[in-house]
Amino acid sequence: MTELPDVDELTLEQRVRLLSGGDFWHTRPVPEHGVPAVTLTDGPHGIRAQSATSERFDLSHNEPATCFPTAVTLASSWDEELVEEVGRALGTEARALGVAVALGPGMNIKRHPLGGRNFEYLSEDPLVSGRMAAAMVRGIQSRGVGACLKHFAVNNQESHRFVVDAVVDERTLRELYLAGFEHALTARPWAVMAAYNRLNGLHCTDNPRLLSMVLRGQWGFDGLVVSDWGAVEDRAAAVRAGTDLEMPGTAGDSDREVLAAVRSGRLEREHVTDSARRVLELVGRAPRDGSGGFPVERHHALARRAAAEGTVLLTNDGTLPLSRQRTVALIGAFAESPRYQGNGSSLVTPTQLDTALEELRGRGVNPHYARGYEPGDSERNPTLVAEAVEAARRADVAVVLAGLPGAYETEGVDRQDLGLPAQHDDLINAVCAANPRTVVALSNGAPVAMPWVDRPAAILECYLGGQAGGAALVDVLHGDVEPAGRLAESLPVAVSDVAANPFFPGRPHQVEHREGLFVGYRHHTTSGVRPLFPFGHGLGYTTFEWGAATVDRQRLGAEESVTVSLEVTNTGDRGGSEVVQVYVHDRTGVVLRPRRELRGFAKVRLDPGRSTTVEVELGPRAFAYYDVERAEWTVPRGTFDIEVARSSADVVHTLPVELTEGVSTSPEPPTTPPVATDDAAFRQRLGGPVPTPRAVLPFTRESTVAEISSTALGGLFARVLRRATPVGEDALGEGAVTGTLDRVLSEMPLRGLARLSGGRLRGEVVDLLVDALNGRRVSTGVRVLRTAAEAVGGRIVGGIPFRRETRGISRDTH
């Protein structure tokens, strides 16, 4: 820890200087007091440190680092020790690359399977999210660098993410969207990132209730709150609310706003001082220099093991694991051009890249290989399918690698449907018809439709396995390791089976969470809608027997815990792992609850014939709900069933317990409709009127490029902006991604352009633009619009968070 001056030794101007970045990735130094700049950078599943030779922010020139499996894959391991080990590796690499804070883990709830950033998030369940995120934080910070929980809060879609207002009732907010963050804070992360969106009318960065009352006051968080990049609307309001550090830097534009607010009395100096102190504390904790290197091969081996641990065996008729004597047809271009991570700010330049084709050949296997499809093309190609069918017919077993191209899953844009590209569905159907011993291995970051689900001999959900995912798949196919994953999200048959679907992604300025608590398996188990595969599901290569389950007490008070115990035995002929999941069913009749809610879990590994006693403790919060009238967590009095299960749909043991203390009435009785489909029901759930979405007119700083394009001046601005945004082949690639760029630009608010412009577009210029668009100062409007668009265009491309994945992988191993 570096000795730094006390905040009281700094002038007001110096304190304000600390509250915004120096550029895209660094805090601002105060050299006259010996305060250095430190680096924050993306790092949910790999450190994305921009190369020092790159002149501006981009995604194409990063230092090589280990690309670990993404969050969706890591969470599927249900293995906190493994996730903590990956965190330690991330922390080691961050330190080697001179990074003080890794911006991750991402832990927003997967409200809808079409969320464009779901690959970067952990689970639809707050307990799994919270425990996995806490493990990641412990691992990263054990190496002396900081972790940053994100995105706080209710940032559950990419559509209009800069301006959309998430309207959600208090109980749902507390029990579902905040609970994971609350648990992860037990690991004491250095930082929390305030999200882009509004929450119940206020930007998360400007929200004192969210940041000061809940995060700091009720949960005791004493670290730094940093804005998401370009999220701040009103810098003075954000300081007052508790956003300490604005990123990226605005070349002093924010300083002027804050100083003017202090001098006018709109912002108290104490708020500036408190935030400056927290920035100094973070800088003081940060390591000063990179350590010079990291164990490249050891981290690659860890990435390979983690990919297998997160692979979920959805179905298997006994074809897996493969016999060494069988000939194999390997089908699908992902076998040589793997889909292994998501597009966006988390994009990592890997230290190396394994492919399934190379791994098989390295083992002396010469598979019948057929491309089957072009990796970046979703159009049907009968010729490639015919070649694949011929390869499948010549082999004992066919392995089809299918999934979603990178353009389908990217930060900034939500998916349009659950389907795979038509070419992939055609390929799977045709190969299954040609060879009934077909194994399908999926590469995707979120649920996909499987109209062919009953046809393959086995289905592996590999998710996005990172740089070693290709080799890990071969390990799993041959049984060198087992697919040890369990789904941390439900896989629906269709989007119509998702309770949130009628309200997703909502209108540009507002999304209503009318489904309340009924997300994922909470909806399926309550409504009786059967998923394609349930939350918690996963098979293995061995068998387990569960003995009788017991509880250490059958009657308990409101503040007491209960421990569930059972013996688990590996009855198969090989080692394997099992996940014991403990759910709670409220039978008190006091309050509306989902039929089944996960309240504890444990993962165990056993050799053949070995047994162990699994114990899972449920604390008082396992039985509590958030009572909006009492404004506190409350336990209802009566009977609960503790359900010991293999998944949310496979309960093995049911153990009744009695809560002898607690309330007998609630604001939301069990007769309340689970989904508030009409305005009256939603008003009742909200405890007030349904907010009116922000109007398009008059134009404001919040107006998006698409909205102002309806005017002649705004259309000119948009055209100049698009022409001034230089995008090369390495940044965009195929046409589908080019369309993504257009959409992200169109949804960008004017103040977001300013915040991401590095000071090239000042706040007062934005105000001139708004005046011109609203019919004032029209004489200067054209000049101002053209100048602003050209000034910001060359800069803003760096904030567009995606590029095409290429095979040009750096082999620099530090």
Side-chain angles (χ1 to χ4, degrees):
M1 180 174 289
T2 302
E3 193 68 30
L4 295 177
D6 187 88
V7 70
D8 294 329
E9 299 176 43
L10 305 183
T11 66
L12 174 63
E13 288 75 11
Q14 289 167 338
R15 296 176 203 182
V16 170
R17 191 191 308 169
L18 288 171
L19 306 190
S20 62
D23 53 27
F24 258 90
W25 300 119
H26 299 89
T27 62
R28 289 165 84 186
V30 185
E32 56 268 41
H33 285 281
V35 179
V38 299
T39 304
L40 303 85
T41 198
D42 296 309
H45 62 270
I47 303 302
R48 194 180 70 77
Q50 187 170 310
S51 302
T53 56
S54 182
E55 296 181 357
R56 61 177 175 82
F57 172 86
D58 64 50
L59 299 175
S60 305
H61 301 91
N62 305 314
E63 296 292 339
T66 307
C67 180
F68 289 96
T70 61
V72 63
T73 319
L74 291 176
S76 298
S77 73
W78 293 61
D79 188 333
E80 292 160 279
E81 291 182 3
L82 173 68
V83 172
E84 186 168 345
E85 188 177 355
V86 171
R88 288 195 294 272
L90 290 171
T92 297
E93 297 193 16
R95 188 149 193 169
L97 294 168
V99 172
V101 178
L103 301 174
M107 54 179 306
N108 293 95
I109 293 297
K110 300 183 186 187
R111 178 189 179 221
H112 197 289
L114 299 186
R117 213 166 177 178
N118 280 358
F119 63 86
E120 203 174 327
Y121 298 143
L122 292 161
S123 179
E124 69 185 32
D125 182 83
L127 180 66
V128 176
S129 292
R131 284 176 57 171
M132 293 298 167
M136 180 67 76
V137 170
R138 289 193 300 269
I140 292 171
Q141 296 190 168
S142 71
R143 294 300 185 252
V145 298
C148 178
L149 300 179
K150 64 183 188 181
H151 306 87
F152 193 63
V154 202
N155 185 181
N156 305 101
Q157 64 185 62
E158 295 302 284
S159 295
H160 295 91
R161 60 180 179 164
F162 277 90
V163 298
V164 73
D165 182 13
V167 179
V168 56
D169 67 279
E170 183 69 10
R171 184 182 169 203
T172 299
L173 182 66
R174 296 284 187 152
E175 294 188 27
L176 198 61
Y177 294 103
L178 298 187
F181 284 96
E182 183 180 5
H183 183 92
L185 286 175
T186 61
R188 299 183 64 84
W190 288 14
V192 170
M193 183 184 291
Y196 283 128
N197 55 284
R198 293 175 184 260
L199 175 58
N200 292 330
L202 287 177
H203 280 285
C204 290
T205 55
D206 303 353
N207 197 317
R209 188 170 182 278
L210 182 68
L211 302 180
S212 295
M213 188 187 88
V214 176
L215 180 64
R216 297 197 190 279
Q218 296 177 0
W219 296 349
F221 176 65
D222 59 1
L224 181 93
V225 173
V226 59
S227 76
D228 204 342
W229 267 232
V232 171
E233 177 194 23
D234 182 329
R235 186 63 187 115
V239 174
R240 186 169 57 248
T243 299
D244 305 309
L245 175 64
E246 178 189 14
M247 291 298 289
T250 61
D253 204 19
S254 295
D255 295 6
R256 289 184 285 273
E257 292 181 30
V258 174
L259 287 169
V262 171
R263 288 163 182 157
S264 69
R266 190 166 74 91
L267 176 64
E268 296 182 2
R269 295 172 66 103
E270 287 76 12
H271 290 297
V272 173
T273 299
D274 289 343
S275 286
R277 180 183 294 110
R278 287 189 282 263
V279 175
L280 281 176
E281 288 171 351
L282 181 136
V283 172
R285 301 169 80 177
R288 292 280 75 84
D289 300 305
S291 64
F294 57 86
V296 172
E297 293 303 323
R298 190 162 78 236
H299 286 183
H300 184 75
L302 172 60
R304 182 171 179 166
R305 175 159 57 90
E309 290 286 331
T311 297
V312 183
L313 181 59
L314 296 177
T315 66
N316 186 22
D317 69 356
T319 297
L320 293 181
L322 298 178
S323 166
R324 302 281 178 176
Q325 288 72 42
R326 287 185 167 181
T327 57
V328 176
L330 188 63
I331 296 168
F334 286 168
E336 60 176 340
S337 301
R339 171 82 200 291
Y340 61 97
Q341 63 176 324
N343 270 326
S345 59
S346 65
L347 201 70
V348 178
T349 299
T351 58
Q352 63 186 83
L353 183 60
D354 293 345
T355 72
L357 183 58
E358 291 170 350
E359 179 64 22
L360 277 175
R361 288 172 174 167
R363 294 179 179 223
V365 178
N366 188 24
H368 303 286
Y369 173 63
R371 285 179 66 80
Y373 54 82
E374 295 300 335
D377 186 358
S378 60
E379 297 300 319
R380 286 183 160 92
N381 190 322
T383 300
L384 291 179
V385 172
E387 292 172 357
V389 166
E390 181 58 29
R393 286 175 176 153
R394 296 201 308 267
D396 296 324
V397 177
V399 178
V400 178
L401 277 64
L404 296 176
Y408 278 53
E409 295 180 292
T410 180
E411 179 183 348
V413 179
D414 293 319
R415 288 166 60 197
Q416 297 301 301
D417 56 59
L418 279 182
L420 294 176
Q423 177 83 337
H424 291 234
D425 283 333
D426 289 351
L427 178 67
I428 292 168
N429 282 318
V431 172
C432 286
N435 189 333
R437 296 174 301 281
T438 293
V439 177
V440 174
L442 294 169
S443 296
N444 48 288
V448 295
M450 304 182 201
W452 36 260
V453 65
D454 295 325
R455 304 195 67 181
I459 303 173
L460 286 165
E461 177 55 90
C462 303
Y463 283 120
L464 300 178
Q467 67 180 51
L473 171 60
V474 175
D475 291 342
V476 166
L477 290 171
H478 283 133
D480 300 336
V481 297
E482 72 158 348
R486 304 293 186 272
L487 293 175
E489 61 187 353
S490 304
L491 305 188
V493 176
V495 291
S496 58
D497 296 335
V498 177
N501 192 59
F503 324 112
F504 177 90
R507 291 166 284 186
H509 298 157
Q510 186 182 84
V511 55
E512 298 174 342
H513 287 239
R514 290 179 178 246
E515 75 283 355
L517 295 168
F518 297 88
V519 170
Y521 75 89
R522 286 170 165 80
H523 169 59
H524 296 144
T525 58
T526 305
S527 67
V529 172
R530 185 174 179 177
L532 183 65
F533 293 101
F535 174 86
H537 171 74
L539 307 176
Y541 289 162
T542 188
T543 56
F544 289 91
E545 181 178 291
W546 291 17
T550 61
V551 290
D552 63 347
R553 63 182 69 195
Q554 291 183 317
R555 293 170 62 83
L556 57 154
E559 297 300 321
E560 293 182 317
S561 300
V562 60
T563 298
V564 181
S565 303
L566 77 158
E567 187 175 72
V568 176
T569 302
N570 184 343
T571 56
D573 59 1
R574 56 178 291 150
S577 59
E578 185 77 309
V579 178
V580 177
Q581 302 164 40
V582 180
Y583 296 83
V584 166
H585 172 207
D586 185 346
R587 291 172 49 201
T588 65
V590 171
V591 62
L592 174 70
R593 303 287 278 270
R595 168 61 181 80
R596 187 168 290 140
E597 294 180 281
L598 184 73
R599 292 299 187 236
F601 64 88
K603 185 167 188 175
V604 294
R605 290 179 177 80
L606 292 171
D607 291 331
R610 301 302 298 269
S611 300
T612 190
T613 298
V614 177
E615 294 186 344
V616 177
E617 181 180 0
L618 305 185
R621 278 280 290 270
F623 306 97
Y625 70 96
Y626 190 82
D627 191 304
V628 295
E629 290 182 352
R630 297 177 178 88
E632 62 183 9
W633 290 93
T634 305
V635 174
R637 184 170 62 249
T639 301
F640 288 79
D641 284 338
I642 295 175
E643 300 176 324
V644 187
R646 289 190 169 93
S647 76
S648 63
D650 185 6
V651 174
V652 180
H653 298 298
T654 301
L655 305 168
V657 295
E658 191 78 15
L659 270 291
T660 59
E661 301 171 343
V663 302
S664 57
T665 62
S666 76
E668 202 167 35
T671 54
T672 307
V675 179
T677 55
D678 59 70
D679 288 352
F682 196 40
R683 283 196 301 270
Q684 184 173 354
R685 178 163 286 171
L686 291 173
V690 180
T692 302
R694 178 178 65 83
V696 172
L697 297 176
F699 295 119
T700 69
R701 286 188 176 196
E702 283 287 275
S703 299
T704 64
V705 172
E707 289 167 349
I708 68 170
S709 294
S710 62
T711 70
L713 288 177
L716 171 62
F717 177 85
R719 290 192 297 275
V720 176
L721 176 66
R722 187 63 184 85
R723 286 199 301 269
T725 305
V727 178
E729 176 69 12
D730 66 328
L732 287 183
E734 62 203 86
V737 183
T738 304
T740 300
L741 170 66
D742 290 335
R743 182 167 173 183
V744 171
L745 281 175
S746 72
E747 293 183 2
M748 185 77 71
L750 296 177
R751 53 94 181 164
L753 293 174
R755 295 296 182 187
L756 290 169
S757 73
R760 288 171 172 80
L761 180 59
R762 298 262 299 272
E764 52 264 39
V765 177
V766 172
D767 292 335
L768 287 173
L769 298 180
V770 170
D771 282 347
L773 290 165
N774 286 323
R776 299 185 294 272
R777 308 184 191 181
V778 176
S779 60
T780 60
V782 173
R783 178 177 54 82
V784 171
L785 283 165
R786 185 182 296 277
T787 302
E790 292 174 344
V792 75
R795 174 75 173 187
I796 204 67
V797 67
I800 304 304
F802 36 77
R803 69 169 172 84
R804 183 180 64 175
E805 293 181 17
T806 69
R807 293 297 308 281
I809 303 301
S810 170
R811 296 292 174 175
D812 180 3
T813 57
H814 294 253

